[in-house]
Amino acid sequence: MKEKRIGIMGGTFDPIHYGHLVIAEAAWYAFALEKVIFIPTGSPPHKRNNHATAAEQRAEMAGLAIASNPHFVLSKIEVERQGFSYSVDTVSAINQQYHGAAAIYFITGADAVLEIDTWHKPEQLLSLCRFVAATRPGFDLSRLDKLPSAWRDKIDLLESPGLDISSTDIRQRVHDGRPIKYLLPESVEEYIYQHQLYGKA
Ligand code: ATP
Ligand code: MG
């Protein structure tokens, strides 16, 4: 029986916001995780055509956002890997770091887990970790029951405060000159303005 439980919170984090932080904290508590590793994507396969913010800057914002939480840590494993990042490779690498002795919980929002069949090697991924599917406004978790039962059995539901916040909306707000205060940590807000991210073209 694996005693150590580790959470992985993967995302583009362009930028990181309270929607991400609140589900990571809820999962840490609900599943008695030792820590949650935040892993910003390098060059995300799902967002290949977007002009995403530099991976290094997305990682810096994630680092600022989690600085005040002793059980949140940042991993740049995907940022430092060249080329596209697949979750299955990342989870394998983390699994090896713990010599297979840790139970890994991959934390996602409802929208992401509902698309799991489109991920790279989903069967292999689900053999390496459990999934945590957190509530996200606008996404119906009961749709998970349509997944094959072998997959569904590896997904735990997580009730968390439904924050209707998305990175897309935050980028649009900055672009339009509208406020983003209270949607994300102040340190990240300051970073965005200092580095003039998401500004008008
Ligand atoms: P974008 O709008 O650019 O897609 P996003 O806000 O969806 O950004 P991602 O970096 O794509 O953020 O998401 C990383 C993970 O966090 C995904 O599993 C996603 O489902 C989850 N997530 C993001 N925002 C929320 C939220 N408000 N509530 C619950 N889960 C969320
Ligand atoms: Mg998203």
Side-chain angles (χ1 to χ4, degrees):
M1 164 103 168
K2 293 175 179 176
E3 294 296 336
K4 200 189 271 285
R5 297 161 159 226
I6 300 292
I8 291 182
M9 178 77 208
T12 317
F13 302 138
D14 191 15
I16 192 163
H17 55 69
Y18 283 131
H20 301 126
L21 295 163
V22 87
I23 69 169
E25 183 74 356
W28 168 77
Y29 181 76
F31 300 99
L33 305 176
E34 182 175 299
K35 61 180 168 183
V36 177
I37 309 174
F38 281 69
I39 309 186
T41 53
S43 189
H46 292 98
K47 299 189 176 178
R48 235 172 247 192
N49 300 320
N50 287 5
H51 298 283
T53 309
E56 196 56 50
Q57 290 190 312
R58 292 184 286 101
E60 273 188 69
M61 289 190 280
L64 290 171
I66 67 174
S68 64
N69 190 326
H71 49 259
F72 284 179
V73 294
L74 179 71
S75 165
K76 300 207 321 190
I77 181 173
E78 293 196 0
V79 170
E80 284 160 3
R81 198 189 286 148
Q82 293 301 308
F84 298 124
S85 312
Y86 291 111
S87 299
V88 66
D89 300 325
T90 301
V91 175
S92 283
I94 302 280
N95 196 30
Q96 277 165 27
Q97 274 175 25
Y98 286 93
H99 308 289
I104 298 177
Y105 287 71
F106 196 109
I107 305 159
T108 65
D111 57 315
V113 85
L114 286 168
E115 289 178 359
I116 198 159
D117 59 325
T118 69
W119 291 29
H120 189 58
K121 300 187 182 165
E123 303 269 356
Q124 196 186 332
L125 182 57
L126 285 160
S127 73
L128 289 168
C129 61
R130 294 191 64 80
F131 267 71
V132 175
T135 39
R136 182 168 193 183
F139 295 89
D140 178 7
L141 276 178
S142 68
R143 279 169 55 200
L144 284 178
D145 295 331
K146 299 215 172 78
L147 291 176
S149 64
W151 292 18
R152 179 65 189 78
D153 291 347
K154 307 234 46 191
I155 302 172
D156 297 309
L157 301 188
L158 177 67
E159 283 290 330
S160 66
L163 299 186
D164 195 2
I165 303 174
S166 72
S167 303
T168 302
D169 179 56
I170 291 171
R171 294 193 300 271
Q172 190 62 50
R173 283 167 170 271
V174 175
H175 179 89
D176 298 346
R178 288 181 289 137
I180 56 172
K181 201 172 182 62
Y182 309 125
L183 299 175
L184 74 185
E186 266 176 32
S187 52
V188 180
E189 183 185 358
E190 279 165 20
Y191 185 100
I192 290 170
Y193 294 133
Q194 247 167 33
H195 293 81
Q196 298 178 312
L197 303 183
Y198 319 128
K200 292 193 174 80

